Amino acid sequence: MKEMSANTMLDSQRQQKHYGITSPISLACPKEIDHIYTQKLIDAMKPFGVFEDEEELNHRLVVLGKLNNLVKEWISDISESKNLPPSVVATVGGKIFTFGSYRLGVHTKGADIDALCVAPRHVERSDFFQSFFEKLKHQDGIRNLRAVEDAFVPVIKFEFDGIEIDLVFARLAIQTISDNLDLRDDSRLRSLDIRCIRSLNGCRVTDEILHLVPNKETFRLTLRAVKLWAKRRGIYSNMLGFLGGVSWAMLVARTCQLYPNAAASTLVHKFFLVFSKWEWPNPVLLKQPEESNLNLPVWDPRVNPSDRYHLMPIITPAYPQQNSTYNVSTSTRTVMVEEFKQGLAVTDEILQGKSDWSKLLEPPNFFQKYRHYIVLTASASTEENHLEWVGLVESKIRVLVGNLERNEFITLAHVNPQSFPGNKEHHKANNYVSMWFLGIIFRRVENAESVNIDLTYDIQSFTDTETGAAVWKKEKNNEIISKRLSLPQSLSDVSRSSGGLQSKRSSLDSSCLDSSRDTDSGTPFHSPVSTNKSSNPDSPAGEVERNSTEPATVVVEKLPRVPPAQGLSIPVIGAEVDPTAKAASSPPVCTIPTVVGRNVIPRVTTPHNPVQGQPHLNGLSNISKNVTPKRSHSPPTDGTSKRLKDIEKFIRLESAFKDSRAAEDRKRKPMRLPSKELPDSSSPVPASNIRVIKNSIRLTLNR
């Protein structure tokens, strides 16, 4: 009998509940040393404010309770105003659900709460944005109340007793909303409009993730560590093409499924092990997609051709299943995989006792990682306009990244999610300035001493996108707002040394799905420091590009401006500026100076040649014949002229340097500041006397 009992216990252990679409990799239980490493991990995270104390947690519960009561009162009042019977009004109900980081239990100090207001079928969305909005307006403790009704997921944002809340709305096709309502039931989606389905999706996905992990507490601690690591390493932003909070949660949940009994310290290491070796674009699934007769669109590459082009699919577990990473591009995936590998190497050292957890949370050296940068600046005259303008520009940065990736001479375009305050001296009419930095790696071309790279189409396309978005927003809001986009219309001629590299895979356009904004305040970053690094001829092209021996060049203090009537021009980064030189008038197309890398090559575009059918490549007749031709979709000169006229009222060209350079000036070496004038690692980025770091291109968008 004892033997049978022992065998039964052994069988029950073997028949442990199965999580995920595959069997676990290991069922090993944690050892004493694993618990020690887990405690050290917790201690390393505490200084970053990732844990709330009991008082703060209780305050959130009190605020949510007040909000839930407000919702029930409002629904009851609406029901009476619509002449429902008193018996129905007494039981109509209404409820607040939470989702996102708060629902997962991984929110940080001061984080907002994502909440969902669920109402019965007789309450309209218009009621939510009118009568409930008015009710909130007269409620004590409510501040910064604003409605974003035209968003992909319409939302009311406000502060309630010091807690920021994003409240979305959904009405179900039922007469009453009970307190024990379960939103995981797919039948709740029946007969709902798409906005309600989107609003419900956040709660349904969050609840499903928690349902699919073997140990919720271990999952939460591991997710806190991974999210903090991602924010510190600059790869936490769904909007900019990295991963958002839900995507990181699903990756951690999949790791927990593969190692269901492991401690948090082990799971962090296994997280990096699994996803540094993951064969993308194979999708990450927490469970097998379920069929439904609701006929809602779901992620399925067998049916939807566009789904086959997603580069890093992570599929939400709740119906309708969607890819949460449709914004990921070739560059952002490359950066994240590199970070996974770096994280694996660091955690290997930690678990071997050679290092500690603080090393994993060190910020990257973004401003020493690349040789060339693009600096994108957005400015506005008032704080309110600046917040709106920055949000619009930031939401389109991934368009610029995609344009750059499709350029055959660019292998990587890495945007830093952290924005920085800009220098107001260059924007005297606008007191509010923000900057983003994009690190660029150029492809090295075989058998060519130098090559001119034309970024005209890439920048023009981004300008048109921003202009179109600004005009659309202006018309939609019926506001008379003067928007000015200051961008170089032609950014070209990045002179590069020769070298071999195969053509890269072009990135694919992101889908039309919306991207949620993920923000993180309080993540420190260090300033750029000029360093000389030796290049290894046997290293990959990307490493050769990053470790070039060319020292950093810095833009001079004053930026002269060229009126639009004088033609198109771009900054000449790294060359001396002659203050006595006068801006030369442009030829019929444009005169485009060079952004120097090592050698400076003058370039003047030529008018369209009807005999040849197209102008010379990059406007140069003596370019090496071994250089790959430019892509055929570069805009013709007459088309560019027409487009400039169409958006003349919105676009003003701004040039950082004069484009009339004497031949002897072009031969000079780039002017560099002494190393003592460059910012040190502890100063803010960028320092006040540094305009653009290294070989950089400045793009300015003003409102």
Side-chain angles (χ1 to χ4, degrees), residues 238-415:
N238 186 26
M239 179 182 294
L240 295 179
F242 296 104
L243 303 189
V246 173
S247 299
W248 290 116
M250 287 189 285
L251 292 186
V252 172
R254 185 68 185 119
T255 307
C256 292
Q257 291 178 342
L258 295 173
Y259 301 90
N261 299 322
S265 58
T266 304
L267 287 171
V268 172
H269 175 255
K270 298 301 183 183
F271 170 87
F272 293 119
L273 175 64
V274 170
F275 294 108
S276 64
K277 301 180 183 299
W278 194 272
E279 295 181 356
W280 305 104
N282 289 332
V284 175
L285 296 164
L286 296 183
K287 70 174 188 178
Q288 289 292 351
E290 298 175 353
E291 299 293 335
S292 176
N293 58 0
L294 298 179
N295 296 324
L296 296 174
V298 298
W299 185 88
D300 190 346
R302 300 168 300 177
V303 177
N304 307 318
S306 61
D307 293 344
R308 301 168 193 169
Y309 298 106
H310 292 173
L311 301 176
M312 201 174 180
I314 302 173
I315 310 306
T316 57
Y319 180 85
Q321 297 84 8
Q322 301 293 329
N323 176 24
S324 66
T325 60
Y326 44 79
N327 286 338
V328 170
S329 68
T330 301
S331 292
T332 53
R333 186 180 70 177
T334 299
V335 171
M336 286 188 284
V337 171
E338 183 179 319
E339 289 293 341
F340 290 150
K341 294 178 180 178
Q342 174 68 16
L344 177 61
V346 173
T347 51
D348 278 338
E349 293 180 1
I350 293 171
L351 297 184
Q352 292 171 10
K354 298 178 181 178
S355 186
D356 53 34
W357 289 107
S358 61
K359 184 176 180 180
L360 182 68
L361 303 177
E362 290 177 353
N365 294 322
F366 178 82
F367 294 102
Q368 291 132 28
K369 193 173 184 179
Y370 303 103
R371 182 180 171 190
H372 297 90
Y373 291 83
I374 289 178
V375 184
L376 175 60
T377 304
S379 63
S381 56
T382 67
E383 184 177 7
E384 182 180 358
N385 287 343
H386 182 249
L387 289 174
E388 180 186 13
W389 188 227
V390 163
L392 181 61
V393 172
E394 188 175 31
S395 69
K396 303 299 179 183
I397 290 178
R398 67 177 185 272
V399 175
L400 175 60
V401 172
N403 293 346
L404 295 171
E405 286 180 339
R406 285 187 286 274
N407 190 302
E408 60 183 338
F409 292 106
I410 294 178
T411 61
L412 187 76
H414 178 189
V415 58

Side-chain angles (χ1 to χ4, degrees), residues 536-557:
N536 182 359
D538 297 327
S539 64
E543 293 300 322
V544 172
E545 174 66 51
R546 294 175 185 178
N547 299 329
S548 169
T549 57
E550 180 74 5
T553 60
V554 183
V555 176
V556 294
E557 187 74 22

Side-chain angles (χ1 to χ4, degrees), residues 45 51 79 135 179 234 276 288 309 323 346 363-364 403 430 444 457 518 533 535 603 631 641 650 658-659 686:
M45 290 192 292
F51 300 104
S79 302
K135 187 177 184 67
D179 288 336
S276 64
Q288 289 292 351
Y309 298 106
N323 176 24
V346 173
N403 293 346
N430 297 310
R444 307 191 70 174
Y457 178 81
D518 294 287
K533 298 180 181 180
S535 61
R603 169 180 180 256
R631 56 186 170 197
S641 248
F650 301 103
K658 306 288 185 180
D659 62 352

